[in-house]
Amino acid sequence: MIENAFYSQENHGPFHLYELGDFSLEEGGVIPQCKLAYATHGQLNAEKNNAILVPTWFSGTSKDYESYIGEGRALDPKLYFIIVVNQLGNGLSSSPHNSPSPIGMSNFPHVRIGDDVRAQHQFITGHFGITELALVVGGSMGAQQTYEWAVRYPDMVKRAAPIAGTAKNTIHDFIFTQTLMDAITSDPAWNDGEYQSNTDVADGLKRHADIWAVMGFTTEFFNQEKWGLFGVETVDELMAGFLEPFFQLMDPNALLVMGWKWQRGDVSRHTDNDLAAALGRIKAKTFVMPIDRDMFFPPSDCEREQQLIPNSELKVITSIAGHFGLFGGEGEDYHGQVDGYLKELLAASVVESVNE
């Protein structure tokens, strides 16, 4: 194991850890004493039917969703019990840098989106006794997990809102994600994942951040010089003062675990690669919510999937920041749209069915 202060309670807390025991993975292998990190907001009601599950995105933690939660918002802790759960490999839950031998560092096993969802299901049913979810909502890789929840546990998920993500990753997005990963592993100090500190791989992490700048934002974001949305005044500050330091603090192996998982997100694995059959299993009232200028998960990709989901609607979010609109730098211009759609979804009636 290596120490990484970036993933501390001070930077990403408060969060709790839940022990799953030895957790077997779809690709083979086991995470011994597997842990899920999570944060909660609000109280679970006596009927245990007001729970909302929020899975995290690539490089994100439970702290990143704090801007989505608050009184009067769609995710209102006065009304709902909101569980924000950190995906496996994200640095807070069991990950390469915080796992002991024999699975530490480069030996950390491959994790699938399905593993995340099975772990989350074990956690919320075993720890809280929750057998239905009023809503599952998440952005980007959180959207991948949202789809997996709705397909894998259709009777348990009453409503689903995948934001800026797809149910089956596209070939284009697979290739792009590979460039993010190659930027890290091309660093001479990478050492096949057995570096001594994340700072050893600083150049690779810098290149990783630079690629994010090209595709994470939109061309119009740069044309209109909108870096003020992210608290900086120049494009140089955006790169050297925000994006590059942001990623250089992270554990490279963790980013690779999540990248490999992102590439292979695919609910059709449940139905012999028949995506229509997989999405046809969804019983949740579903709002598919792409971001209009997102270059990772464009609305056209999301709409093709939405048309295969019963009882679903397409709700497009407008953001000049593109995929990075998820960070909420546009404030009410972004969050107002998300809250409006989620409030509409939460007010919608759902088909009652037996619990898992």
Side-chain angles (χ1 to χ4, degrees), residues 49-323:
N49 63 1
N50 71 330
I52 292 176
L53 185 73
V54 187
T56 56
W57 56 61
F58 180 90
S59 79
T61 69
S62 44
K63 184 175 180 61
D64 291 302
Y65 280 109
E66 290 179 356
S67 66
Y68 287 73
I69 299 167
E71 291 186 32
R73 307 285 300 281
L75 304 185
D76 189 338
K78 289 289 187 181
L79 301 175
Y80 299 102
F81 181 55
I82 303 157
I83 309 164
V84 188
V85 62
N86 294 272
Q87 64 172 294
L88 294 169
N90 84 326
L92 298 187
S93 293
S94 286
S95 301
H97 79 276
N98 63 23
S99 294
S101 179
I103 67 160
M105 298 296 285
S106 64
N107 292 320
F108 198 79
H110 287 313
V111 179
R112 289 269 189 178
I113 295 290
D115 294 317
D116 283 308
V117 171
R118 288 189 302 107
Q120 293 161 19
H121 181 270
Q122 181 178 330
F123 159 51
I124 66 169
T125 57
H127 189 53
F128 296 116
I130 292 170
T131 57
E132 69 174 67
L133 291 165
L135 171 68
V136 182
V137 54
S140 195
M141 284 190 76
Q144 290 180 310
Q145 293 166 77
T146 298
Y147 276 119
E148 180 75 19
W149 261 103
V151 171
R152 186 180 285 265
Y153 302 110
D155 290 318
M156 188 172 179
V157 180
K158 302 305 178 185
R159 301 171 187 84
I163 303 173
T166 52
K168 179 174 183 174
N169 202 30
T170 63
I171 296 171
H172 176 269
D173 206 50
F174 186 103
I175 295 170
F176 172 73
T177 308
Q178 190 64 48
T179 68
L180 289 170
M181 299 166 71
D182 291 344
I184 294 172
T185 59
S186 64
D187 191 312
W190 165 245
N191 193 30
D192 293 325
E194 293 299 321
Y195 45 84
Q196 296 300 308
S197 167
N198 59 312
T199 57
D200 295 344
V201 198
D203 289 344
L205 290 169
K206 176 184 179 299
R207 289 192 291 272
H208 180 90
D210 292 346
I211 296 169
W212 269 105
V214 172
M215 289 287 286
F217 295 114
T218 67
T219 54
E220 198 59 27
F221 173 88
F222 289 101
N223 290 338
Q224 295 187 29
E225 301 184 2
K226 288 290 188 177
W227 17 90
L229 297 174
F230 290 81
V232 295
E233 297 181 357
T234 67
V235 67
D236 290 339
E237 288 181 11
L238 179 73
M239 299 301 300
F242 170 63
L243 266 182
E244 291 169 1
F246 176 74
F247 281 104
Q248 285 175 325
L249 290 172
M250 295 184 185
D251 180 57
N253 275 316
L255 294 174
L256 292 179
V257 167
M258 289 183 284
W260 190 94
K261 188 197 308 183
W262 167 4
Q263 287 179 307
R264 291 160 180 82
D266 182 5
V267 298
S268 73
R269 297 175 73 239
H270 293 283
T271 51
D272 294 326
N273 297 317
D274 186 336
L275 183 61
L279 295 177
R281 293 174 55 173
I282 295 176
K283 297 181 180 179
K285 173 65 178 176
T286 303
F287 279 6
V288 174
M289 297 167 58
I291 294 174
D292 62 343
R293 304 186 195 191
D294 190 341
M295 289 193 278
F296 292 115
F297 306 103
S300 56
D301 289 342
C302 299
E303 185 175 13
R304 276 193 293 272
E305 295 180 340
Q306 179 264 320
Q307 291 174 349
L308 300 175
I309 302 171
N311 197 23
S312 70
E313 298 180 44
L314 186 74
K315 303 287 188 179
V316 180
I317 300 166
T318 300
S319 172
I320 196 170
H323 195 71

